[in-house]
Amino acid sequence: MDMASSSVSAALLLAVSLAALHLCCRHGHGAGDAAGNGITAIYSLGDSITDTGNLVKEAPPGMFETIKHLPYGVTFGYPTGRCSDGLLMIDFLAQDLGLPFLNPYLGKNKSFDHGVNFAVAGATAVDPADQFNLPAVPVPFASKSLKVQLRWFKDFLKYTFGTDEEIRRRLQASLVLVGEIGGNDYNYAFFQAKPVAEVEKLIPGVVKTIVGAAKEVLDMGATRVIVPGNFPIGCVPGYLAMNAASSEPADYDSAGCLRELNDFAAKHNSRLRRAVADLQASYPGAAVAYADYFDSFLTLLHNASSFGFDAASTRKACCGAGAGEYNFDWRRMCGFPGTAACADPSTYLSWDGIHMTQAAYRAMSRLIYHGKYLQPQILSFPEKNGQT
């Protein structure tokens, strides 16, 4: 797969977005009562799938302007910094646990009483300086690796709770999400025009980094940890559009997804699953689960109509420049001049050709946290909240 970009700035923006964003002021259900399983706080590490405002807080002026303005946030009523028209999976999970939405760590004057979101859009699992031949490969100014986020996490807990004993007590009543992250490690490598077979060599290091972070969190006293896998990236409109010219009919599966890219993501997930199983064996006193973003998304894709989506639009971006069958052009991405959002984002799976719509994230959250794709199921939910 040749993913070289002829425009560094456009490629950089796309790479940031491809990771696989914050309602900084609005909360979900009240958190006066202990949530399911006694969870009273959520701490999240990750990338744009989970970022609720950190990237836009630290990005320099002029960068990532599109996610600061409508149509981003159109379903919510105003832009929130999230890479979507509205809420993310982390938001629906918080609501279902009876907790407020997570404020970003870099937000000013925000409450962190019931958790903190350390995720940053564009973040890598492996620290960029350790993985890429810099400065030959452009990485985002604002990208914060998992190592940086983990340091934020530790600094926050130390500053807020002081002693290791108090930190352990806090974590025993918390849920920690380590990911989704790792997608950008591969995206940046692809933007060096590396073939899939070569990018696969990064998988062991990426998985080791993710699981190493989860281990550190468990060693600090966490008793509930979720480690999500990667999406079937061969179904993402952005990837489909960029590979359309060089692909043959045999390169696609029955759902119209690129086989090679889905196989790549499956290899990452298979290795991550095995590593999570080792964590479960090493920490029998903790509840450690793998969140299957891959199969849950395919279930959503293959049954789009029954979930209320337009089956004819499952591989098309809601917001774009009207380009081609995928409505995606990396030179004119959502929010750029000449682009527009569809009339009803709730009928689309993809918001901007890279990230999902609020409706799709809601459906994914139900499938994972209330269904069979959290393995094992380590959560229970207050009856008064039910499913969002």
PDB file of all heavy atoms in Angstrom, residues 217-230:
ATOM      1  N   VAL A 217      -0.168   0.601  35.714  1.00  0.00           N
ATOM      2  CA  VAL A 217      -1.424   1.027  36.340  1.00  0.00           C
ATOM      3  C   VAL A 217      -1.878  -0.005  37.371  1.00  0.00           C
ATOM      4  O   VAL A 217      -2.315   0.338  38.482  1.00  0.00           O
ATOM      5  CB  VAL A 217      -2.496   1.242  35.253  1.00  0.00           C
ATOM      6  CG1 VAL A 217      -3.877   1.386  35.879  1.00  0.00           C
ATOM      7  CG2 VAL A 217      -2.169   2.462  34.405  1.00  0.00           C
ATOM      8  N   LEU A 218      -1.772  -1.270  37.023  1.00  0.00           N
ATOM      9  CA  LEU A 218      -2.154  -2.336  37.960  1.00  0.00           C
ATOM     10  C   LEU A 218      -1.234  -2.348  39.174  1.00  0.00           C
ATOM     11  O   LEU A 218      -1.681  -2.549  40.307  1.00  0.00           O
ATOM     12  CB  LEU A 218      -2.117  -3.689  37.243  1.00  0.00           C
ATOM     13  CG  LEU A 218      -3.253  -3.928  36.245  1.00  0.00           C
ATOM     14  CD1 LEU A 218      -2.886  -5.036  35.270  1.00  0.00           C
ATOM     15  CD2 LEU A 218      -4.549  -4.269  36.981  1.00  0.00           C
ATOM     16  N   ASP A 219       0.046  -2.126  38.958  1.00  0.00           N
ATOM     17  CA  ASP A 219       0.993  -2.104  40.075  1.00  0.00           C
ATOM     18  C   ASP A 219       0.720  -0.939  41.027  1.00  0.00           C
ATOM     19  O   ASP A 219       1.046  -1.002  42.216  1.00  0.00           O
ATOM     20  CB  ASP A 219       2.429  -2.005  39.554  1.00  0.00           C
ATOM     21  CG  ASP A 219       2.920  -3.309  38.932  1.00  0.00           C
ATOM     22  OD1 ASP A 219       2.323  -4.361  39.218  1.00  0.00           O
ATOM     23  OD2 ASP A 219       3.897  -3.263  38.147  1.00  0.00           O
ATOM     24  N   MET A 220       0.108   0.121  40.511  1.00  0.00           N
ATOM     25  CA  MET A 220      -0.244   1.269  41.351  1.00  0.00           C
ATOM     26  C   MET A 220      -1.483   0.995  42.204  1.00  0.00           C
ATOM     27  O   MET A 220      -1.786   1.775  43.102  1.00  0.00           O
ATOM     28  CB  MET A 220      -0.490   2.490  40.479  1.00  0.00           C
ATOM     29  CG  MET A 220       0.759   3.022  39.785  1.00  0.00           C
ATOM     30  SD  MET A 220       0.355   4.266  38.528  1.00  0.00           S
ATOM     31  CE  MET A 220      -0.337   5.579  39.560  1.00  0.00           C
ATOM     32  N   GLY A 221      -2.196  -0.078  41.877  1.00  0.00           N
ATOM     33  CA  GLY A 221      -3.362  -0.428  42.683  1.00  0.00           C
ATOM     34  C   GLY A 221      -4.672  -0.505  41.939  1.00  0.00           C
ATOM     35  O   GLY A 221      -5.715  -0.769  42.552  1.00  0.00           O
ATOM     36  N   ALA A 222      -4.665  -0.284  40.620  1.00  0.00           N
ATOM     37  CA  ALA A 222      -5.913  -0.375  39.856  1.00  0.00           C
ATOM     38  C   ALA A 222      -6.469  -1.791  39.923  1.00  0.00           C
ATOM     39  O   ALA A 222      -5.719  -2.767  39.853  1.00  0.00           O
ATOM     40  CB  ALA A 222      -5.679   0.032  38.407  1.00  0.00           C
ATOM     41  N   THR A 223      -7.773  -1.884  40.064  1.00  0.00           N
ATOM     42  CA  THR A 223      -8.418  -3.196  40.140  1.00  0.00           C
ATOM     43  C   THR A 223      -9.355  -3.464  38.966  1.00  0.00           C
ATOM     44  O   THR A 223      -9.838  -4.585  38.816  1.00  0.00           O
ATOM     45  CB  THR A 223      -9.227  -3.324  41.446  1.00  0.00           C
ATOM     46  OG1 THR A 223     -10.186  -2.251  41.520  1.00  0.00           O
ATOM     47  CG2 THR A 223      -8.308  -3.260  42.652  1.00  0.00           C
ATOM     48  N   ARG A 224      -9.621  -2.444  38.142  1.00  0.00           N
ATOM     49  CA  ARG A 224     -10.441  -2.627  36.945  1.00  0.00           C
ATOM     50  C   ARG A 224      -9.750  -1.894  35.798  1.00  0.00           C
ATOM     51  O   ARG A 224      -9.645  -0.665  35.812  1.00  0.00           O
ATOM     52  CB  ARG A 224     -11.841  -2.050  37.135  1.00  0.00           C
ATOM     53  CG  ARG A 224     -12.648  -2.673  38.267  1.00  0.00           C
ATOM     54  CD  ARG A 224     -13.947  -1.902  38.433  1.00  0.00           C
ATOM     55  NE  ARG A 224     -14.689  -2.282  39.610  1.00  0.00           N
ATOM     56  CZ  ARG A 224     -14.453  -1.790  40.832  1.00  0.00           C
ATOM     57  NH1 ARG A 224     -13.493  -0.900  41.012  1.00  0.00           N
ATOM     58  NH2 ARG A 224     -15.183  -2.189  41.858  1.00  0.00           N
ATOM     59  N   VAL A 225      -9.291  -2.640  34.819  1.00  0.00           N
ATOM     60  CA  VAL A 225      -8.560  -2.069  33.693  1.00  0.00           C
ATOM     61  C   VAL A 225      -9.124  -2.636  32.395  1.00  0.00           C
ATOM     62  O   VAL A 225      -9.313  -3.849  32.274  1.00  0.00           O
ATOM     63  CB  VAL A 225      -7.048  -2.372  33.784  1.00  0.00           C
ATOM     64  CG1 VAL A 225      -6.323  -1.855  32.548  1.00  0.00           C
ATOM     65  CG2 VAL A 225      -6.461  -1.752  35.053  1.00  0.00           C
ATOM     66  N   ILE A 226      -9.390  -1.741  31.439  1.00  0.00           N
ATOM     67  CA  ILE A 226      -9.857  -2.148  30.119  1.00  0.00           C
ATOM     68  C   ILE A 226      -8.799  -1.755  29.088  1.00  0.00           C
ATOM     69  O   ILE A 226      -8.329  -0.614  29.079  1.00  0.00           O
ATOM     70  CB  ILE A 226     -11.207  -1.503  29.765  1.00  0.00           C
ATOM     71  CG1 ILE A 226     -12.289  -2.026  30.712  1.00  0.00           C
ATOM     72  CG2 ILE A 226     -11.595  -1.774  28.310  1.00  0.00           C
ATOM     73  CD1 ILE A 226     -13.649  -1.358  30.514  1.00  0.00           C
ATOM     74  N   VAL A 227      -8.453  -2.705  28.226  1.00  0.00           N
ATOM     75  CA  VAL A 227      -7.470  -2.469  27.160  1.00  0.00           C
ATOM     76  C   VAL A 227      -8.168  -2.724  25.824  1.00  0.00           C
ATOM     77  O   VAL A 227      -8.410  -3.873  25.463  1.00  0.00           O
ATOM     78  CB  VAL A 227      -6.246  -3.388  27.302  1.00  0.00           C
ATOM     79  CG1 VAL A 227      -5.211  -3.070  26.218  1.00  0.00           C
ATOM     80  CG2 VAL A 227      -5.629  -3.266  28.694  1.00  0.00           C
ATOM     81  N   PRO A 228      -8.519  -1.680  25.076  1.00  0.00           N
ATOM     82  CA  PRO A 228      -9.195  -1.868  23.790  1.00  0.00           C
ATOM     83  C   PRO A 228      -8.218  -2.205  22.658  1.00  0.00           C
ATOM     84  O   PRO A 228      -7.057  -1.799  22.675  1.00  0.00           O
ATOM     85  CB  PRO A 228      -9.855  -0.508  23.511  1.00  0.00           C
ATOM     86  CG  PRO A 228      -9.776   0.247  24.803  1.00  0.00           C
ATOM     87  CD  PRO A 228      -8.533  -0.275  25.473  1.00  0.00           C
ATOM     88  N   GLY A 229      -8.742  -2.948  21.666  1.00  0.00           N
ATOM     89  CA  GLY A 229      -7.972  -3.236  20.472  1.00  0.00           C
ATOM     90  C   GLY A 229      -8.214  -2.198  19.394  1.00  0.00           C
ATOM     91  O   GLY A 229      -8.849  -1.163  19.619  1.00  0.00           O
ATOM     92  N   ASN A 230      -7.734  -2.483  18.194  1.00  0.00           N
ATOM     93  CA  ASN A 230      -7.852  -1.565  17.064  1.00  0.00           C
ATOM     94  C   ASN A 230      -9.098  -1.883  16.241  1.00  0.00           C
ATOM     95  O   ASN A 230      -9.640  -2.983  16.290  1.00  0.00           O
ATOM     96  CB  ASN A 230      -6.609  -1.661  16.181  1.00  0.00           C
ATOM     97  CG  ASN A 230      -6.381  -0.425  15.335  1.00  0.00           C
ATOM     98  OD1 ASN A 230      -7.205   0.484  15.313  1.00  0.00           O
ATOM     99  ND2 ASN A 230      -5.261  -0.398  14.634  1.00  0.00           N
TER     100      ASN A 230
END
